[in-house]
Amino acid sequence: MKTRSTMSLLAAAVLATACATAPVTTPTLDQARADFVAANNNPQVSQYAPNEFRQASEALDQANAAAARRESLNDVDRLAYVAKQRIATAMEVAKAKGAEADIANASRERDQVRLEARTAEADRAKREAEAAQAAAQQAQAQAQAAQQQAAAAQEQNAALAQRAAVLEALLVELQAVKTERGYVVTIGDVLFATNQAALTPNGMSSLRKLAEVMTQNPNRTVLVEGFTDSTGSSSYNQELSQRRAEAVASALSSMGVPRDRIAMKAYGEAFPVASNDTASNRQLNRRVEIVLSNEGAQIPPRTAAR
């Protein structure tokens, strides 16, 4: 059985052997190893300082190898210091290049923002120009339409004025009388064959002028009213006034006046315009009156005063 002293000597020998084979270390080496781990975990180092980090790794390998060979602490510490400095250099290079990259990215982003702003401004200016052009074209079209409308209105007014002048001249020639019912043209007894309903050539000439008026004024109608004097029986006078009114209406129709624009009424010896006491007055009562309506209006019924 071994004694206590023998066991103590054996433990001391084992401890001495272990101490002789274990690598040495220094605070600088420990710090270098810790810095290396931090640098290795920093993505900027591998991205922006790969060469510097490789040199730092090689320097740390040399320090670790010197420690494993149990070289002097001064040598291990010197190599560890070199590794530590190179690790720091890699970190600083990565930091600087990362900052430069951030600045470059920020500059690119600013440029992009400016480009987008300029593009948006150009697009806005283009839209405004297109809108202004469209507004100008619309204004031009409206102006042209207004000019065309004004020209059309001027032409229409000129045509109306010319038509009115022609109407006035023809009505003067027909000796028409303006009344509330319209213009009244009288076809007297001398324009009919004696005691007949047939119109004389002069009577037909007067009606042709009236037909021309009707053609140029399509919004007007006529009412043909027949009258006689008081000579003879009332039934004969009524029948004669009817035949003379029909003769005038038929003549106007044959001259191109639509029949639906011609109305007719026979009054016989009613509504005389003079007393029947003399031959000249009775001749005035033997007549056909043609009432030309006002523009676009109906002819009111006859009253005692016409």
Side-chain angles (χ1 to χ4, degrees):
M1 187 175 182
K2 296 180 181 178
T3 61
R4 182 181 294 278
S5 59
T6 302
M7 293 178 63
S8 298
L9 291 173
L10 181 59
V14 172
L15 180 60
T17 302
C19 290
T21 58
V24 299
T25 187
T26 67
T28 303
L29 181 57
D30 291 338
Q31 184 63 51
R33 290 168 175 167
D35 291 347
F36 181 83
V37 173
N40 189 54
N41 292 331
N42 188 338
Q44 284 190 335
V45 173
S46 60
Q47 182 177 0
Y48 297 116
N51 293 331
E52 290 81 359
F53 186 67
R54 178 178 52 78
Q55 294 172 359
S57 178
E58 292 173 353
L60 182 60
D61 288 343
Q62 292 176 3
N64 286 329
R69 291 191 299 269
R70 296 186 58 79
E71 296 182 6
S72 66
L73 294 179
N74 287 337
D75 290 340
V76 172
D77 202 52
R78 177 178 56 77
L79 293 173
Y81 178 78
V82 172
K84 185 174 180 299
Q85 290 301 111
R86 290 189 175 179
I87 293 171
T89 298
M91 293 286 284
E92 288 299 324
V93 170
K95 181 179 179 181
K97 290 185 177 181
E100 291 175 358
D102 290 341
I103 293 173
N105 289 335
S107 178
R108 283 193 296 272
E109 290 177 358
R110 284 195 301 271
D111 291 342
Q112 182 64 28
V113 170
R114 290 171 183 167
L115 177 60
E116 291 175 355
R118 286 195 297 268
T119 302
E121 179 65 19
D123 291 342
R124 183 185 64 81
K126 181 180 179 182
R127 289 194 299 271
E128 290 179 353
E130 290 175 349
Q133 184 179 7
Q137 291 175 348
Q138 183 179 8
Q140 183 179 7
Q142 290 175 346
Q144 291 176 348
Q147 290 177 352
Q148 292 173 354
Q149 290 177 354
Q154 187 175 5
E155 291 178 1
Q156 184 178 12
N157 291 335
L160 290 175
Q162 183 179 7
R163 191 173 69 185
V166 172
L167 173 64
E168 186 69 22
L170 288 173
L171 291 176
V172 169
E173 190 174 351
L174 289 170
Q175 298 181 352
V177 177
K178 184 172 178 57
T179 69
E180 293 182 355
R181 302 174 72 204
Y183 288 93
V184 178
V185 177
T186 301
I187 305 296
D189 183 52
V190 296
L191 300 180
F192 288 93
T194 304
N195 290 324
Q196 298 294 322
L199 283 158
T200 66
N202 288 336
M204 293 295 288
S205 177
S206 296
L207 289 185
R208 273 191 288 271
K209 295 175 183 177
L210 183 60
E212 182 179 352
V213 171
M214 295 288 290
T215 300
Q216 296 179 2
N217 296 268
N219 292 327
R220 295 178 186 265
T221 59
V222 291
L223 172 60
V224 181
E225 297 177 325
F227 306 90
T228 66
D229 59 21
S230 60
T231 304
S233 66
S234 297
S235 60
Y236 174 80
N237 289 334
Q238 180 68 30
E239 187 266 340
L240 179 60
S241 68
Q242 177 75 25
R243 286 192 291 117
R244 286 188 168 182
E246 289 177 350
V248 171
S250 297
L252 287 174
S253 179
S254 67
M255 294 173 185
V257 180
R259 200 65 179 83
D260 59 358
R261 294 175 60 195
I262 305 172
M264 190 179 59
K265 182 71 175 177
Y267 292 100
E269 58 191 59
F271 300 106
V273 294
S275 63
N276 288 291
D277 55 353
T278 66
S280 59
N281 285 343
R282 286 192 295 273
Q283 187 178 33
L284 293 176
N285 290 330
R286 297 192 296 269
R287 70 198 188 279
V288 171
E289 292 185 358
I290 306 172
V291 184
L292 177 66
S293 72
N294 294 317
E295 182 78 17
Q298 293 183 346
I299 300 175
R302 169 175 285 275
T303 63
R306 282 190 165 184

